[in-house]
């Protein structure tokens, strides 16, 4: 039985398979009769999609880390007010491909802005807005980056600025996500993403049913 609508986010480094898993989960929830708002970050509202382009395109050093953190917070504030809160108040399940934790990992840890500073910026931008549940898909860095490159190879010139950052950057992201999962074990479910699509989706559905869909 489908329960009350929830706000669920998917997080992880590059090539972890978030987008595929989130689409499969949306299909499954719709089959259960839920209305689903499938969204993503950076982006998810018209204004935030414009900021996404600024953030993902161009040279690796196009922006200062602090500018990135501020733009992401600006985009997220718009996305929260104009897409996420309205969908939740209509009773829709909101599934979001990346959210707050990506800024903690990418800007706070990876880009060196500092976790506390990133948290402060986000609080100024939109107050407190926590997902009900976050799936963190974990993968060794080299596996994730080679998956991401294969994906990009198929689409040509899709690689974003962050994918081009160095190995050390990606390793620090992984550690940051593992740290978040450890600090917030109620909100976060850590999953080993080094497996096939169906097995991983099976684990996601199992966790969701266990948490919310018991009749
Ligand atoms: P996207 O194409 O959605 O990549 P992925 O498939 O890896 O999710 O691009 C999002 C990129 O933006 C990704 O490299 C992570 C980065 N990002 C941040 O650096 N900080 C953030 O807060 C968010 C939401 C994303």
């Amino acid at each position: 039985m489908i329960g009350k609508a929830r706000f669920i986010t998917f997080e992880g480094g590059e090539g972890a398979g978030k987008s595929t898993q989130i689409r499969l989960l949306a299909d499954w929830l719709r089959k259960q009769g839920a209305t689903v708002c499938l969204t993503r970050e950076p982006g998810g509202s018209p204004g935030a999609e414009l900021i996404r382009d600024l953030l993902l395109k161009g040279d690796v050093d196009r922006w200062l880390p602090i500018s990135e953190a501020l733009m992401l917070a600006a985009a997220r504030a718009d996305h929260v007010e104009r897409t996420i809160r309205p969908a939740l108040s209509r009773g829709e399940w909101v599934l979001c491909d990346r959210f707050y934790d990506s800024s903690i990992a990418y800007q706070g840890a990876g880009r060196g802005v500092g976790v506390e500073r990133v948290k402060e910026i986000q609080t100024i931008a939109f107050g407190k807005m926590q997902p009900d549940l976050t799936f963190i898909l974990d993968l060794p860095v080299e596996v994730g980056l080679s998956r991401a490159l294969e994906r990009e190879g198929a689409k040509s010139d899709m690689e974003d600025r962050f994918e081009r950052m160095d190995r050390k950057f990606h390793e620090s992201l992984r550690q940051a996500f593992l740290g978040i999962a450890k600090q917030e074990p109620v909100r976060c479910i850590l999953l080993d993403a080094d497996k096939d699509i169906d097995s991983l989706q099976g684990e996601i559905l199992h966790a969701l049913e266990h948490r919310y869909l018991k009749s």
Side-chain angles (χ1 to χ4, degrees):
M1 225 192 92
I2 194 90
K4 172 176 167 281
R6 310 282 174 169
F7 176 27
I8 300 177
T9 58
F10 280 66
E11 298 279 6
E14 307 295 328
K18 292 177 287 75
S19 311
T20 305
Q21 295 300 331
I22 206 168
R23 261 187 281 112
L24 290 172
L25 179 58
D27 291 346
W28 185 86
L29 281 166
R30 287 183 182 120
K31 281 196 198 121
Q32 312 305 306
T35 308
V36 177
C37 168
L38 181 55
T39 187
R40 67 163 179 189
E41 288 206 349
S45 65
E49 289 289 331
L50 293 174
I51 298 176
R52 176 187 175 91
D53 261 9
L54 293 174
L55 280 163
L56 299 193
K57 291 185 180 157
D59 292 342
V60 166
D61 61 358
R62 181 182 195 185
W63 300 108
L64 294 175
I66 185 68
S67 308
E68 249 172 54
L70 290 164
M71 282 194 282
L72 279 153
R76 187 161 300 129
D78 200 71
H79 184 213
V80 165
E81 283 312 314
R82 297 192 161 150
T83 302
I84 297 177
R85 286 197 211 275
L88 289 170
S89 56
R90 289 192 300 268
E92 297 175 14
W93 285 69
V94 176
L95 304 186
C96 190
D97 191 341
R98 298 194 182 279
F99 192 65
Y100 189 96
D101 300 309
S102 279
S103 289
I104 302 295
Y106 279 74
Q107 281 65 46
R111 300 278 279 144
V113 174
V115 168
E116 288 315 313
R117 228 158 140 225
V118 168
K119 285 184 179 169
E120 269 174 48
I121 292 168
Q122 307 232 21
T123 305
I124 293 167
F126 57 88
K128 298 272 177 227
M129 180 73 185
Q130 281 266 29
D132 295 302
L133 179 63
T134 297
F135 289 105
I136 296 183
L137 307 191
D138 178 58
L139 201 60
V141 168
E142 59 279 15
V143 179
L145 286 178
S146 69
R147 277 194 196 173
L149 277 177
E150 265 172 44
R151 180 183 67 189
E152 258 77 67
K155 292 194 217 158
S156 85
D157 206 27
M158 291 290 288
E159 195 182 23
D160 71 50
R161 280 179 56 244
F162 297 99
E163 282 173 26
R164 280 182 264 128
M165 288 180 188
D166 64 18
R167 167 81 207 248
K168 198 167 138 249
F169 172 81
H170 291 282
E171 195 53 57
S172 71
L173 301 180
R174 184 179 190 204
Q175 294 311 319
F177 281 123
L178 291 172
I180 293 168
K182 205 166 173 190
Q183 277 162 20
E184 296 188 64
V186 176
R187 174 173 69 88
C188 298
I189 294 179
L190 179 66
L191 295 173
D192 175 1
D194 198 0
K195 53 171 68 81
D196 66 83
I197 292 173
D198 291 344
S199 312
L200 187 54
Q201 181 66 196
E203 289 182 19
I204 289 168
L205 294 183
H206 179 79
L208 197 78
E209 284 179 318
H210 179 73
R211 180 106 34 139
Y212 295 134
L213 306 181
K214 282 179 282 182
S215 50

